[in-house]
Structures are given as C-alpha cells and as structure tokens.
Amino acid sequence: MAAAGPGLGPGPGAGAGPEAPLLNCGHYSRSCRLKALCCGKFYTCRLCHDDAENHQLDRFKVSQVQCAKCKTVQQVKKSCERCETVFGEYYCDTCHLFDVDKKQYHCLPCGICRIGPEDNFFHCVKCNLCLAIHLRGNHKCVENVSRQNCPVCMEDIHTSRIGAHVLTCGHLLHKTCYETLFSKGAYRCPLCMRSAVDMTKYWEELDTEIAQTTMPSDYQNMIVKIMCNDCQLHSTTPFHVLGLKCSGCGSYNTAQDGGLITP
C-alpha cells in the first residue's frame, strides 16, 4: 500500500519578498526566527532548537518571532510589522509554521500541517491520520496507528517530515525505513509478523524445492505443531528443514509451536 501524508519538510525556493534574507536551516526556508518560550532563545525552526537543546520546543506556544531582515522582535504573524518582509509563502497560525509553498494544508483532526495538495489526501478517523486518497476504503484500519513510533527507527511517525508507508496489516513504517528494511530481504511487519508483501510466488517456489528435497529417513514421518503468522491458524504439518507450511492459507510464514511428533 502507498504512503500516508507526511508532515512538512525542507524544500527549495524563497518565501520572502525582494531583498529579504532567507534562512535555510536544512529543515525549512523562512525569513524569521522563532522565540522559544521554554528557554527564550531564537531558532530558525523547532527542529533546530530540539537538536541543540535538551528539551523540546512547543510550536503551538510560540508567540514571538524575529525578522531576519530588520531584527524586530514581534508577535507571530505572516509578515514583519516594521519592514513588511513576508516570513513565508505558507504560514499557519496554529502550528506557527513558515515555509515555501508546498501546497500545505492544516488538518484539524491531525492537529498539524501536512504537505499537500489537500485533494490528494483524506483523514481516516479510525487510523487518525491523513492517507493517500487511493487508500480510502482500501486499507486496514488500526485505531490511532500513527500515535506510535516507527518500529524500525523508533522515531515519531505522526509529526514526522518523512512519509509513512501503510502495510497490508495496517501498521505504519516510515517510507524510508520500509524501503531499507525490505531491500534487505525482510518481508514481515516488525510488529505483528504478518507478511507485508505478496509472497504467493515465493511460497510456490518453496513448494517445489521442498518436494525435490527429501528429508533423512529418521525425519520423513515427523510432523510438528505450528502457528501461522499470516492467518493465525494453529495446525500440524510435515516437518521439513526448508519450511513449515500452513495447512490453512499455504503460507510458510509460520512458527513452530511444539516439538516433533511421530505419528
């Protein structure tokens, strides 16, 4: 399945008027600095603050900014009250976000701004996050699924600037984490262990390989109890070192659930 709507990230371009200095911090491009209520320091963005300090900046409590052109400290707004420098092409009065235009929109249920265009996404009430429009009615809902850390990198998913990949089981990974994990041959969800990609062809190849690989005589009649990670069925199957096949769904994504049994 495709990616969920990401939070906001860096991008090229200028968000201010002529001759206004543009602050490029690696996260955002804007023409003002935020005053952190927590420590009274000025930072280009909350992420720069959090990287440098031992506490986090609450973006919603930011009340003052400093113009990068005339250095005036003022109440947070889109343009400088003194020199009229536009602090950002996009400005959200809730998130206090300034940035270049990336077709951003503020999602009220998510509580943060997302990269758009808005028409390309919808907010899933049960999952409680914005998903790509083609996933409407075409994904497995997991309640508040984004309100947890990515199981690969353990970083926050909901407010991340990296898009989230929705697995068939409904769990989320950062898109980059998904690509890294599965490029190394992993095929299961790190949380529930269900197959996250279509393994039908591989299971068929494993069927053929097992049929061509005879077990030693001492093990030829052995069976074993297994539990299938894909369909959750508990069953018995002939023991084979290459794989233990679920009698219900045909998956080899199984775990041994007991010792060997001699019929």
Side-chain angles (χ1 to χ4, degrees):
M1 289 191 177
L8 296 179
E19 300 181 357
L22 188 64
L23 305 175
N24 292 289
C25 65
H27 303 114
Y28 301 103
S29 298
R30 54 185 55 161
S31 292
C32 68
R33 294 180 178 87
L34 310 179
K35 184 176 182 179
L37 185 64
C38 46
C39 56
K41 299 178 183 178
F42 287 94
Y43 281 93
T44 306
C45 78
R46 65 180 180 88
L47 298 172
C48 289
H49 170 278
D50 293 352
D51 287 342
E53 305 291 342
N54 61 2
H55 57 275
Q56 293 186 332
L57 185 155
D58 187 339
R59 74 180 90 177
F60 304 106
K61 293 183 179 179
V62 171
S63 60
Q64 291 184 310
V65 296
Q66 182 186 52
C67 177
K69 183 177 182 180
C70 69
K71 310 303 181 185
T72 299
V73 177
Q74 58 204 278
Q75 293 299 303
V76 61
K77 58 177 70 69
K78 184 173 183 178
S79 302
C80 178
E81 62 185 25
R82 181 177 180 184
C83 68
E84 299 184 349
T85 291
V86 177
F87 296 143
E89 292 173 337
Y90 176 82
Y91 169 62
C92 174
D93 192 45
T94 300
C95 296
H96 301 134
L97 174 70
F98 305 86
D99 201 7
V100 296
D101 183 13
K102 302 171 189 168
K103 307 300 181 185
Q104 299 96 325
Y105 67 97
H106 182 86
C107 175
L108 286 174
C110 280
I112 60 173
C113 292
R114 301 284 191 189
I115 295 176
E118 186 174 2
D119 290 344
N120 291 349
F121 298 91
F122 75 101
H123 184 87
C124 176
V125 175
K126 185 173 181 179
C127 293
N128 200 11
L129 83 160
C130 291
L131 298 173
I133 196 69
H134 72 270
L135 291 177
R136 189 191 293 271
N138 188 34
H139 71 284
K140 181 177 180 179
C141 288
V142 176
E143 190 169 0
N144 289 323
V145 68
S146 72
R147 302 313 202 269
Q148 59 187 351
N149 292 337
C150 172
V152 176
C153 68
M154 299 308 295
E155 297 293 333
D156 178 60
I157 290 180
H158 184 71
T159 61
S160 176
R161 297 180 298 113
I162 302 172
H165 186 90
V166 185
L167 301 178
T168 53
C169 58
H171 291 124
L172 300 183
L173 307 176
H174 283 125
K175 186 175 184 294
T176 51
C177 291
Y178 168 83
E179 293 169 350
T180 299
L181 187 68
F182 288 87
S183 69
K184 296 180 179 179
Y187 69 91
R188 300 187 296 188
C189 170
L191 292 175
C192 68
M193 304 303 288
R194 293 185 181 180
S195 297
V197 293
D198 186 359
M199 298 294 291
T200 303
K201 184 177 180 180
Y202 181 73
W203 298 155
E204 291 173 352
E205 293 174 353
L206 197 52
D207 280 338
T208 301
E209 190 173 357
I210 287 175
Q212 296 173 348
T213 307
T214 304
M215 288 288 291
S217 57
D218 290 346
Y219 293 94
Q220 285 183 5
N221 296 320
M222 294 289 188
I223 59 174
V224 64
K225 293 181 179 180
I226 61 170
M227 190 276 287
C228 180
N229 290 318
D230 287 338
C231 71
Q232 309 302 307
L233 178 70
H234 290 261
S235 62
T236 58
T237 189
F239 175 74
H240 200 287
V241 293
L242 295 182
L244 304 174
K245 184 173 182 176
C246 174
S247 60
C249 66
S251 170
Y252 282 93
N253 179 15
T254 58
Q256 191 168 326
D257 193 25
L260 298 179
I261 303 172
T262 303

